[in-house]
Amino acid sequence: MAATLHDVADLAGVSFKTVSNVINGYPHIRPATREKVERAIAELGYQPNLTARSLRSGRTGAIALAVPELNLSYFAELAGFVIAAAERSDLVTLVEQTGGDRDRELALLQSPRLRMTDGLILSPLGMRQEDVDALEVPFPLVLLGEPVFDWPNDHVSMRNVEATRAGTEYLIASGRRRIAVIGEHEEEVFGSARSRLRGYREALEANGIEYDERIVAGATLWHRADGARAMHELLEGGAPFDAVFGFNDTLALGAMRVLQEAGLRVPGDVAVLGIDDLDEAAYSIPSLTTIDPGREWIARTAVETLLERIARRGKDLPPRTKLADFRIIERESAPPG
Amino acid sequence: MAATLHDVADLAGVSFKTVSNVINGYPHIRPATREKVERAIAELGYQPNLTARSLRSGRTGAIALAVPELNLSYFAELAGFVIAAAERSDLVTLVEQTGGDRDRELALLQSPRLRMTDGLILSPLGMRQEDVDALEVPFPLVLLGEPVFDWPNDHVSMRNVEATRAGTEYLIASGRRRIAVIGEHEEEVFGSARSRLRGYREALEANGIEYDERIVAGATLWHRADGARAMHELLEGGAPFDAVFGFNDTLALGAMRVLQEAGLRVPGDVAVLGIDDLDEAAYSIPSLTTIDPGREWIARTAVETLLERIARRGKDLPPRTKLADFRIIERESAPPG
DNA sequence: CCAAGATCCTACAACGATGCAAACGGACAT
DNA sequence: ATGTCCGTTTGCATCGTTGTAGGATCTTGG
């Protein structure tokens, strides 16, 4: 078995409390004693038992991150940033997958599994308006994704409305008028689809273009396959379009593939725009014009925000909303006008 | 503060140990008592403190997974499968990123951070032969990636040599003779590059094709950008080739992009083959022919293997090596002959 | 009606760490 | 020589749980 404070203490010939003091940097220790203890620690390869320390201190040094799936590149990259940011604060990250499923999201908020962590960063997707109460949990919680109603939590997101509005206007400025959308999600409350659609509609309206629901395609999870399926529907629907705005890059990439299979040229016949700026988007054929949502900023800020909450546990800190800046990345699939 | 066993016990009017017994399904409890306790639990919303339970039981219910980066799609998808498999066994998964860096891999093996988990699944990339001793750790450890030398650990991997041999022969059968490679990694011990190169060479030899190192390009981390850079080198090198075997899909996709930028047709001028069968590979233009390495099987098996080790902690179980079956997925970038 | 054996419940000691307060010993002033 | 003070070390309680052992209560058979 691993060595404990007592083992070290026995070897060093001091009380186990002294060993604890050495480890925790207590100042009043005679150099000779400190050295004895350190030698014993080294000899036994002692490492503190973090579980015991957690029990005593009430802090675990771990946070949880819950995303729909790591199989969705956006969330994989986001998770990578969150883990890196957490590590910089000496926290480890426990990753959960909800599948974007309402029941699993709700179950997670109740789950004792989280008791092993100091707080949760949740990217909800399936939850509905009536579930808002479930967000009143006894641990620090930061939400990712669009803020919609009043709730008692911190919140970090991209500027969905502004970004899709800007994206749509970018397409309009480049001469497109019939801009299809993929990724609409009627019932959603917490995800970004609804706000993204709003930004899109605002841009149309501001430019005197009529909203045509025949070229608005839904997609619940945002896999490439969903983008492909949606594009098939759009093509079969027969309503004309000269651009496609995928509400994320994987949808856009799935759609772009289908467009080209159908013999349409991108961007010649149809321009394609995504959101996320995945690594992958720079290497597709053609490379994908997209909107950088500030992923890394979001990840870093979410961890910081959670840490502030953890530090002030008890004291009430009003819920905060923090929004990242976005940036349009011009590439081949939708060149500027 | 959260309720404890004592709080529940007070409310129910029993000893706290009885509450513990109810929770742990101890059989001899009068129905009336059980009900009283359960009502108290519900009323207080009691949830067991997992940290205390861990301290007492010595098990944490968490495992750690360490991969180079979640930004690499292969590892993101693998992590998703590992988390899902762990969850089926009621384990949570703590994800660490090593960046494929030797020092960070070694540090991780020593780190007390892992003391919060029951075991580790590690996908080493930077470690060298002389670091093998570092793998003798006091906790259950399962390694992913090519087994190279004798070491005292369990090991789950794909069949690298056979797969690249089969892949190379597939290209040869389709009429290609000058098959370039991207992803070679000279110094590597634990990663897969070396074995993959071996399979490639075996296939060449078996078919009387000479090995030409001018068309073998290195790449340490396997991002799309690395594949792109390697392809630029190959093109500038001037040695002719009519196929490219990327040692993973992201390398292949990065390379494919550069090929087409250079005006070469895929697969007309150059066939492209990858390994991993990423989701993305089905949606590139052209879609990528690739080798399915059995990712999900690997993830599931790694978790199972780790669990066996955890269960028999102490008892010596000889180290095992488990290899997944692979499958060539025929798509457009390299059609069958 | 009592002893024996189930059945149900409780007391106490861990697990390995930290916080608090008190004990120790030497230096110094009185 | 005694008391005070400070730097240094220690003992004890504690975090919330589970394991072990044994006490209390209830059945049951003779």
Side-chain angles (χ1 to χ4, degrees), chain B:
Chain B
M1 276 314 298
T4 72
L5 280 185
H6 284 94
D7 301 329
V8 176
D10 288 350
L11 183 61
V14 295
S15 89
F16 81 99
K17 183 63 228 226
T18 299
V19 181
S20 170
N21 286 338
V22 169
I23 288 168
N24 293 301
Y26 180 73
H28 303 303
I29 297 173
R30 225 178 319 155
T33 311
R34 162 166 284 125
E35 203 190 331
K36 253 192 320 189
V37 169
E38 277 166 354
R39 207 159 28 228
I41 288 176
E43 183 168 340
L44 294 175
Y46 168 79
Q47 293 195 320
N49 180 316
L50 295 188
T51 305
R53 185 177 278 180
S54 295
L55 175 58
R56 189 60 240 247
S57 68
R59 287 276 301 272
T60 66
I63 62 174
L65 170 69
V67 296
E69 302 181 23
L70 287 185
N71 195 28
L72 291 163
S73 307
Y74 172 76
F75 291 110
E77 297 190 7
L78 181 74
F81 286 124
V82 167
I83 292 169
E87 191 181 344
R88 268 178 256 124
S89 302
D90 277 319
L91 292 168
V92 293
T93 307
L94 204 146
V95 181
E96 298 264 6
Q97 300 184 105
T98 62
D101 182 66
R102 178 188 177 208
D103 293 338
R104 290 178 63 194
E105 290 172 359
L106 292 173
L108 185 74
L109 288 167
Q110 303 298 329
S111 164
R113 295 154 67 92
L114 292 180
R115 283 296 157 83
M116 227 181 328
T117 65
D118 294 333
L120 170 66
I121 298 174
L122 170 65
S123 184
L125 202 58
M127 289 179 61
R128 314 234 192 86
Q129 177 57 27
E130 67 256 42
D131 302 326
V132 170
D133 289 346
L135 293 171
E136 295 227 32
V137 290
F139 48 81
L141 173 62
V142 170
L143 294 173
L144 303 181
E146 189 60 16
V148 185
F149 294 90
D150 292 333
W151 62 66
N153 302 100
D154 292 320
H155 193 275
V156 181
S157 172
M158 73 172 289
R159 298 182 189 276
N160 280 302
V161 176
E162 293 89 332
T164 44
R165 178 166 178 158
T168 308
E169 283 179 336
Y170 171 88
L171 290 171
I172 294 171
S174 74
R176 316 284 170 161
R177 309 277 300 174
R178 298 280 307 165
I179 301 170
V181 157
I182 297 180
E184 192 232 353
H185 187 181
E186 283 267 8
E187 300 176 19
E188 182 186 75
V189 174
F190 288 94
S192 305
R194 174 177 289 217
S195 307
R196 292 187 182 176
L197 193 69
R198 176 138 39 93
Y200 164 79
R201 295 190 70 159
E202 283 180 8
L204 293 189
E205 201 164 330
N207 287 274
I209 300 176
E210 206 174 339
Y211 176 75
D212 181 356
E213 67 177 14
R214 292 175 306 159
I215 54 174
V216 173
T220 307
L221 269 182
W222 289 355
H223 289 110
R224 293 172 192 80
D226 300 311
R229 192 183 27 66
M231 179 51 70
H232 278 125
E233 285 170 24
L234 288 174
L235 290 172
E236 281 159 19
F241 52 89
D242 55 13
V244 177
F245 194 169
F247 277 174
N248 83 350
D249 281 356
T250 38
L251 287 174
L253 289 163
M256 193 157 76
R257 161 87 204 171
V258 171
L259 277 171
Q260 297 187 75
E261 275 171 0
L264 291 162
R265 286 167 307 132
V266 178
D269 298 318
V270 179
V272 177
L273 174 63
I275 302 181
D276 281 352
D277 191 25
L278 297 183
D279 196 34
E280 177 183 352
Y283 294 92
S284 60
I285 310 270
S287 60
L288 184 66
T289 298
T290 184
I291 301 177
D292 172 5
R295 252 195 325 320
E296 186 177 0
W297 186 93
I298 290 174
R300 207 176 49 235
T301 304
V303 172
E304 279 168 13
T305 308
L306 188 64
L307 276 175
E308 287 169 24
R309 273 259 166 241
I310 291 170
R312 311 218 192 168
R313 186 193 290 263
K315 288 196 217 167
D316 46 0
L317 195 60
R320 292 152 299 167
T321 292
K322 304 184 181 180
L323 299 176
D325 288 329
F326 64 89
R327 201 162 50 95
I328 295 179
I329 312 285
E330 296 173 5
R331 296 211 188 89
E332 295 161 357
S333 72

Side-chain angles (χ1 to χ4, degrees), chain A residues 12-125:
Chain A
V14 295
S15 88
F16 82 99
K17 184 64 234 223
T18 300
V19 180
S20 169
N21 286 337
V22 168
I23 288 167
N24 294 299
Y26 181 74
H28 303 302
I29 296 173
R30 224 178 318 157
T33 310
R34 164 167 283 127
E35 202 190 332
K36 252 192 320 188
V37 170
E38 277 167 355
R39 204 157 31 226
I41 288 177
E43 184 169 337
L44 293 176
Y46 168 78
Q47 293 194 320
N49 179 317
L50 295 188
T51 304
R53 185 178 278 181
S54 297
L55 177 59
R56 192 59 241 252
S57 67
R59 286 276 301 271
T60 65
I63 63 174
L65 169 69
V67 295
E69 303 181 24
L70 287 184
N71 195 29
L72 291 163
S73 306
Y74 173 76
F75 291 112
E77 297 189 8
L78 181 74
F81 285 124
V82 167
I83 293 170
E87 190 182 343
R88 267 178 255 122
S89 302
D90 276 319
L91 292 170
V92 293
T93 307
L94 206 144
V95 181
E96 298 264 5
Q97 300 184 105
T98 63
D101 182 66
R102 178 189 176 207
D103 293 337
R104 291 177 64 191
E105 290 171 358
L106 291 173
L108 185 73
L109 287 167
Q110 302 299 329
S111 165
R113 295 154 68 93
L114 292 180
R115 283 296 158 80
M116 229 184 329
T117 65
D118 294 333
L120 170 67
I121 298 174
L122 170 65
S123 183
L125 203 57

Side-chain angles (χ1 to χ4, degrees), chain A residues 25-288:
Chain A
Y26 181 74
H28 303 302
I29 296 173
R30 224 178 318 157
T33 310
R34 164 167 283 127
E35 202 190 332
K36 252 192 320 188
V37 170
E38 277 167 355
R39 204 157 31 226
I41 288 177
E43 184 169 337
L44 293 176
Y46 168 78
Q47 293 194 320
N49 179 317
L50 295 188
T51 304
R53 185 178 278 181
S54 297
L55 177 59
R56 192 59 241 252
S57 67
R59 286 276 301 271
T60 65
I63 63 174
L65 169 69
V67 295
E69 303 181 24
L70 287 184
N71 195 29
L72 291 163
S73 306
Y74 173 76
F75 291 112
E77 297 189 8
L78 181 74
F81 285 124
V82 167
I83 293 170
E87 190 182 343
R88 267 178 255 122
S89 302
D90 276 319
L91 292 170
V92 293
T93 307
L94 206 144
V95 181
E96 298 264 5
Q97 300 184 105
T98 63
D101 182 66
R102 178 189 176 207
D103 293 337
R104 291 177 64 191
E105 290 171 358
L106 291 173
L108 185 73
L109 287 167
Q110 302 299 329
S111 165
R113 295 154 68 93
L114 292 180
R115 283 296 158 80
M116 229 184 329
T117 65
D118 294 333
L120 170 67
I121 298 174
L122 170 65
S123 183
L125 203 57
M127 288 179 61
R128 314 237 191 86
Q129 176 57 26
E130 67 257 38
D131 301 327
V132 170
D133 289 346
L135 294 171
E136 294 227 33
V137 290
F139 48 82
L141 173 63
V142 170
L143 294 174
L144 303 181
E146 188 61 16
V148 185
F149 295 90
D150 291 335
W151 62 66
N153 302 101
D154 290 323
H155 193 273
V156 182
S157 172
M158 73 172 291
R159 299 182 189 276
N160 280 303
V161 177
E162 293 89 333
T164 44
R165 177 167 179 156
T168 307
E169 282 180 336
Y170 171 88
L171 290 171
I172 293 171
S174 74
R176 315 285 169 160
R177 307 276 301 175
R178 298 281 306 165
I179 301 169
V181 158
I182 296 180
E184 193 231 353
H185 187 180
E186 282 267 9
E187 300 176 19
E188 184 185 75
V189 173
F190 288 95
S192 306
R194 173 177 290 219
S195 308
R196 291 189 183 173
L197 193 68
R198 174 138 39 95
Y200 164 78
R201 296 190 69 159
E202 284 180 9
L204 292 189
E205 200 163 331
N207 287 273
I209 300 177
E210 203 175 341
Y211 175 75
D212 179 355
E213 66 177 13
R214 292 174 305 157
I215 55 175
V216 173
T220 307
L221 270 181
W222 290 355
H223 289 110
R224 292 170 193 82
D226 300 311
R229 190 181 28 67
M231 180 49 73
H232 278 125
E233 286 170 23
L234 288 174
L235 290 172
E236 281 159 20
F241 52 88
D242 55 13
V244 176
F245 193 168
F247 277 175
N248 84 348
D249 281 356
T250 39
L251 286 173
L253 289 163
M256 193 157 77
R257 161 82 204 175
V258 171
L259 277 171
Q260 295 187 75
E261 274 171 2
L264 291 162
R265 286 166 309 131
V266 178
D269 297 316
V270 178
V272 177
L273 173 63
I275 302 181
D276 281 352
D277 191 25
L278 298 183
D279 196 33
E280 178 183 352
Y283 294 92
S284 60
I285 310 271
S287 61
L288 183 67

